Amino acid sequence: MPDNSKPNVNESAIIDKISTCVYQAVLDIQQKQPEWLNEKYRKVNWGDGKSQSIFLRRLQEELSNVVDQKALLIKVRKFLILLLVPSFFESVEFKSLMAKVRQLSQPEIQPNGRVNTDGKHTESSITTPESPKLESAIAPSVAQPNSIAILLLDAENLQLDVDTEKFLAGVCSYPIQIKVAFANWRSMGKQDLEFHGRGYELIHVPQGKDSADFKMATVGSSIFVHYPNAREVLVCSSDNGITHLCNTLQTHGLTVYRVRKQGDALVVLNSKTSQVQTYSLKALPEIPSLPELIAQLKGLIKDEQQNTGLQWIKLSRVANLFQTKYNLTISQVVSTHLPGKKSREIFSDYPVDFAVHQPTSQSPPYVTLFDISEVKKVESDRNDGTDDSKNLHTAAITSLEDLEKVLLTLINELILNSASGYVSLEVIGTEFHRQYGQSINALIKDKLKFDGNLLKILQHFSSFKVQYKKGKWLVAIAQP
């Protein structure tokens, strides 16, 4: 007779849950502790839909033939060994992940009520004085058989937008099926419509200090009764008065995520593992295009050369200057446009603009600007003036009209690589210098005798639209 005492883990629903749980763990590692990933996988965009699909499909294939829990855990560990360095497998995070996988591989309990610690079955019942209101607000999901997460929000104390909700959904091991927001909605403008449109159940409380917290504690303390399939609860409030609710839920076996705002970040504390995750509430700075990045790096290097009197600047110094000035890392920009590339490769990939030198394998790399005008002068001397047709020359620019035509062509080409339809002034100047081997400001002033610089001449021409935004001048082609 077959032994039916062991759970059959070879079920697609269980495998899907486990695969999603492991994928989310790898995604969290890349965002918070990328050094745990093997080097070849650190630059993979695990948040991309294609990468997620490949990851889940391969892990599901690996787990599809397991017959018991022990074999499944071994398969998961072998899969992770391919992706992660050995130190990860000694961490608390690994133990926590395997505990989740072990829990997910158990058969689901699907009672109509709940099982007490003494083993006796009791029907779900509502014991609070406000039973009718509570039941109508959040009870319709009692019949759902699968494990779920529940989100409780003090909307007067903490605001969650759609992106923040997505982050919180990624923190949980189970889907957030119930969302309840507490507030005095008469004082919240039209936010009740917004929250209702995002699937929240709304509970109104009287106006008064901590009213929303008290109501949330009352409703939340009976979650384990009304939702026996609830496994996780997100308690979203920055008030300390909600601690008692968190402790109550935790004593009944639920994983409680305490969500609060600290400065410009949302901090999430896992009550079981004590793991803390943070989410920045500040808007990320705009990622510049590659031509803008090159112009910004050249500007920083030139300024540093002038300030220090040195021609060769440490790459690490350039990276620090860039992060300080633009509140971005070079790696963030490079990985956005060139996935898989290292930040230092941007310098070697643009030999027309930069020269990189590393004296020994043990010494730090240095970078300097590649002076194209000097190179063109050497080439011109070497060719004795017979090969000038290969390069662009400013000799053909004899009037403002000529310059306008040249700028129209150049800016149109640059805008093709810009999602916004604008290109920065410094990029235009850099690209003109790269193509013509001469400063455009020098051309304007010395040759064309125009009293002004590139900015003034662009404002002079009706063909261009110039605006100042976020600390820099932006240029677009004016609409006819």
Side-chain angles (χ1 to χ4, degrees):
M1 179 179 292
D3 181 8
N4 294 322
S5 61
K6 294 183 179 180
N8 177 18
V9 299
N10 188 14
E11 298 178 7
S12 60
I14 294 177
I15 290 175
D16 288 349
K17 287 182 182 180
I18 292 172
S19 300
T20 301
C21 175
V22 175
Y23 164 76
Q24 186 60 53
V26 172
L27 183 61
D28 290 342
I29 287 170
Q30 185 182 46
Q31 293 173 346
K32 299 175 180 62
Q33 292 174 293
E35 68 276 6
W36 277 347
L37 283 166
N38 284 321
E39 188 172 356
K40 65 184 290 187
Y41 296 113
R42 289 176 190 172
K43 296 300 181 180
V44 175
N45 184 6
W46 292 108
D48 176 69
K50 183 177 180 181
S51 298
Q52 178 183 5
S53 177
I54 293 173
F55 183 103
L56 294 175
R57 185 177 71 251
R58 289 183 179 175
L59 181 54
Q60 288 162 0
E61 289 173 355
E62 287 290 324
L63 303 181
S64 60
N65 296 320
V66 297
V67 294
D68 57 34
Q69 188 185 71
K70 182 178 180 181
L72 181 140
L73 295 173
I74 292 173
K75 285 274 191 179
V76 170
R77 183 185 178 95
K78 286 183 176 180
F79 188 86
L80 290 172
I81 288 173
L82 298 174
L83 302 173
L84 300 160
V85 299
S87 59
F88 168 74
F89 298 92
E90 301 172 2
S91 67
V92 174
E93 285 78 2
F94 171 67
K95 294 177 182 177
S96 174
L97 173 60
M98 295 306 288
K100 288 182 181 179
V101 172
R102 190 177 290 108
Q103 181 184 10
L104 290 172
S105 64
Q106 297 293 338
E108 292 285 350
I109 300 173
Q110 302 178 13
N112 292 324
R114 64 187 178 94
V115 177
N116 289 333
T117 53
D118 60 4
K120 295 179 181 179
H121 180 273
T122 60
E123 293 295 325
S124 294
S125 59
I126 298 174
T127 58
T128 62
E130 299 181 346
S131 297
K133 185 184 294 184
L134 174 60
E135 185 174 17
S136 64
I138 59 176
S141 297
V142 166
Q144 294 180 6
N146 295 326
S147 297
I148 63 171
I150 296 176
L151 186 151
L152 304 177
L153 172 64
D154 178 355
E156 295 180 348
N157 179 267
L158 188 63
Q159 295 293 309
L160 302 180
D161 59 20
V162 174
D163 290 334
T164 310
E165 279 185 28
K166 289 180 181 178
F167 165 74
L168 294 177
V171 169
C172 299
S173 299
Y174 302 98
I176 300 175
Q177 297 284 8
I178 308 295
K179 297 187 293 186
V180 189
F182 303 82
N184 182 301
W185 295 108
R186 295 191 186 96
S187 63
M188 299 289 285
K190 295 184 178 180
Q191 290 190 49
D192 56 340
L193 295 175
E194 179 193 347
F195 278 101
H196 184 69
R198 284 159 51 190
Y200 280 82
E201 297 291 347
L202 308 181
I203 293 184
H204 179 73
V205 299
Q207 191 169 7
K209 189 177 186 302
D210 299 329
S211 289
D213 275 343
F214 291 145
K215 186 67 175 180
M216 185 159 71
T218 302
V219 173
S221 61
S222 59
I223 278 178
F224 61 91
V225 177
H226 303 297
Y227 298 95
N229 56 332
R231 300 291 180 266
E232 299 172 310
V233 182
L234 294 139
V235 179
C236 305
S237 174
S238 297
D239 288 338
N240 292 326
I242 212 70
T243 303
H244 179 69
L245 170 61
C246 296
N247 293 339
T248 300
L249 294 172
Q250 189 174 346
T251 58
H252 284 86
L254 289 108
T255 299
V256 179
Y257 296 96
R258 179 70 188 274
V259 183
R260 65 176 72 190
K261 183 181 179 183
Q262 290 184 359
D264 293 322
L266 199 71
V267 179
V268 183
L269 171 65
N270 185 321
S271 63
K272 279 192 175 179
T273 66
S274 297
Q275 180 184 9
V276 176
Q277 300 185 52
T278 59
Y279 174 81
S280 176
L281 298 173
K282 293 179 77 174
L284 293 176
E286 183 180 352
I287 301 292
S289 65
L290 283 178
E292 287 176 322
L293 172 64
I294 300 304
Q296 290 166 348
L297 292 173
K298 292 178 73 173
L300 290 173
I301 293 170
K302 185 176 181 180
D303 289 344
E304 188 69 5
Q305 288 174 334
Q306 292 175 348
N307 293 336
T308 63
L310 301 173
Q311 288 302 304
W312 291 92
I313 311 299
K314 282 185 180 181
L315 271 180
S316 58
R317 174 61 178 165
V318 177
N320 289 336
L321 290 170
F322 185 87
Q323 185 171 3
T324 300
K325 183 171 182 178
Y326 297 104
N327 198 28
L328 275 172
T329 65
I330 299 175
S331 296
Q332 285 177 296
V333 183
V334 173
S335 61
T336 298
H337 299 294
L338 304 169
K341 285 272 188 182
K342 295 181 179 180
S343 59
R344 65 170 293 179
E345 292 182 71
I346 197 68
F347 297 98
S348 55
D349 285 353
Y350 284 80
V352 172
D353 301 294
F354 307 105
V356 181
H357 176 57
Q358 188 171 10
T360 69
S361 60
Q362 302 301 318
S363 62
Y366 292 79
V367 63
T368 190
L369 295 179
F370 192 87
D371 194 336
I372 192 168
S373 61
E374 288 297 318
V375 173
K376 287 187 175 181
K377 183 177 182 300
V378 171
E379 289 177 346
S380 178
D381 293 341
R382 183 182 301 158
N383 295 326
D384 198 25
T386 59
D387 198 27
D388 286 343
S389 60
K390 292 183 179 179
N391 299 317
L392 296 172
H393 293 278
T394 58
I397 304 174
T398 60
S399 65
L400 293 180
E401 290 75 15
D402 293 336
L403 180 60
E404 183 179 15
K405 292 177 182 178
V406 167
L407 289 173
L408 275 169
T409 301
L410 187 149
I411 293 172
N412 265 315
E413 292 174 353
L414 292 174
I415 286 176
L416 290 176
N417 296 318
S418 171
S420 65
Y422 283 85
V423 62
S424 71
L425 190 71
E426 60 184 354
V427 169
I428 297 170
T430 299
E431 186 64 16
F432 185 92
H433 190 284
R434 190 184 74 81
Q435 292 189 19
Y436 290 90
Q438 181 180 354
S439 164
I440 190 169
N441 285 329
L443 173 74
I444 293 169
K445 185 175 288 187
D446 299 338
K447 186 173 182 179
L448 301 182
K449 307 300 181 184
F450 183 85
D451 185 18
N453 54 16
L454 175 58
L455 173 60
K456 287 188 177 181
I457 207 163
L458 286 169
Q459 292 172 330
H460 171 77
F461 294 138
S462 61
S463 305
F464 306 103
K465 180 181 179 182
V466 183
Q467 68 176 18
Y468 188 76
K469 188 177 182 181
K470 294 184 179 179
K472 59 184 177 182
W473 288 100
L474 301 175
V475 183
I477 303 298
Q479 295 298 322

